[in-house]
Amino acid sequence: MDPAAQATLTAESFSFISLFLRADWVVKAVMIGLGLASLFSWAVIIDRLLRFAALNRQADRFEDEVSSGRSLEDIAQQAGERPRHALPRMLQAALREWREARAKGLSSDTQSALLIQRIDRVMDSIIARETARVEEGLPLLAIVATASPFIGLFGTVWGIMNAFQEIAIQQNTNLTVVAPAIAEALFATAIGLAAAIPAYIAYNKFSSDAGRYAGRLEGFADDLATAIQRRLAERG
């Protein structure tokens, strides 16, 4: 920065736009990369917020229908052939296994036990796929949360190196010589933290939400297995 520019330093000289425009190309690249990472993470955050809210609303409605006293067959038929939510898919899969086993005959306790095992395997498969689906995007949040501070720190270190270079070239230790370069460097760290903090909080929240949702599916699977066992006991 030349002496004339130093003499005209004002508060506006340290605005976000001014800091970005004056920054070295490496620091600019760091800022742009962190800004894009923040945008992607916020897209994931908004998508997951909407997704978990919708999934839990649908699960609440379906569980209310199941507990209303209607037959499971009627509820499964009302859900349609290819329901999008996991709970009706689990119900339809369990009833399909039940119908196939009943058509072949359930003449022994061993066959009944095998039916319960098949239902458990089918439920586990659905739960695993659904859990993987709701966890989409979480690895991106983890990467942004862990890598952004270090990337921002790299931009800061590079900017500090430029500040010392300015001191060496101008042979002047006046604060006006190094203040802009230091501000640009610290701005890179600030952007890194701004990208990392929301991603870190969201990752932990959504990981917890995914775990609770998986537990909800597992609880529903246990209820289905109990209902099938009750039917088997009534037939016996």
Side-chain angles (χ1 to χ4, degrees):
M1 180 174 292
D2 57 48
Q6 295 171 21
T8 58
L9 286 177
T10 63
E12 288 73 18
S13 302
F14 294 90
S15 66
F16 293 160
I17 296 178
S18 296
L19 291 176
F20 174 78
L21 293 177
R22 283 201 314 266
D24 179 84
W25 68 270
V26 174
V27 181
K28 280 183 180 177
V30 168
M31 293 179 180
I32 292 173
L34 291 173
L36 292 175
S38 181
L39 288 177
F40 283 126
S41 66
W42 274 107
V44 172
I45 290 170
I46 294 172
D47 177 73
R48 292 299 96 180
L49 283 173
L50 298 176
R51 179 70 61 85
F52 277 114
L55 288 175
N56 286 313
R57 283 196 305 269
Q58 293 169 3
D60 290 339
R61 288 197 297 266
F62 191 76
E63 288 176 344
D64 290 341
E65 292 179 1
V66 171
S67 61
S68 65
R70 296 170 53 197
S71 69
L72 296 180
E73 284 78 7
D74 289 344
I75 297 173
Q77 184 176 7
Q78 181 182 347
E81 295 183 0
R82 294 182 178 180
R84 299 184 60 182
H85 198 274
L87 295 188
R89 291 205 309 270
M90 294 168 67
L91 175 59
Q92 291 179 351
L95 292 178
R96 184 166 53 250
E97 293 293 333
W98 159 257
R99 287 192 298 267
E100 292 177 357
R102 188 177 59 178
K104 296 177 181 178
L106 293 169
S107 57
S108 67
D109 292 340
T110 302
Q111 290 176 330
S112 298
L114 290 175
L115 169 61
I116 298 301
Q117 290 179 4
R118 288 199 303 272
I119 291 176
D120 286 340
R121 286 196 296 269
V122 171
M123 297 297 102
D124 289 342
S125 177
I126 294 175
I127 291 172
R129 289 197 298 269
E130 186 67 13
T131 301
R133 189 168 70 88
V134 299
E135 289 179 347
E136 291 176 356
L138 297 191
L140 174 62
L141 293 180
I143 292 173
V144 173
T146 55
S148 293
F150 295 102
I151 297 174
L153 182 60
F154 168 75
T156 296
V157 171
W158 190 273
I160 295 296
M161 291 170 55
N162 288 337
F164 281 112
Q165 186 178 18
E166 283 292 321
I167 293 175
I169 292 175
Q170 298 191 27
Q171 297 181 354
N172 185 353
T173 59
N174 193 305
L175 187 59
T176 58
V177 175
V178 297
I182 292 177
E184 296 157 13
L186 295 177
F187 187 42
T189 296
I191 295 177
L193 293 175
I197 292 173
Y200 178 79
I201 295 173
Y203 174 79
N204 285 280
K205 171 183 165 45
F206 294 141
S207 295
S208 178
D209 290 345
R212 284 196 296 269
Y213 185 68
R216 189 171 192 174
L217 297 182
E218 291 171 357
F220 187 75
D222 292 340
D223 292 341
L224 287 178
T226 301
I228 298 298
Q229 289 174 341
R230 189 178 299 115
R231 292 187 177 191
L232 292 172
E234 292 171 356
R235 287 175 60 87

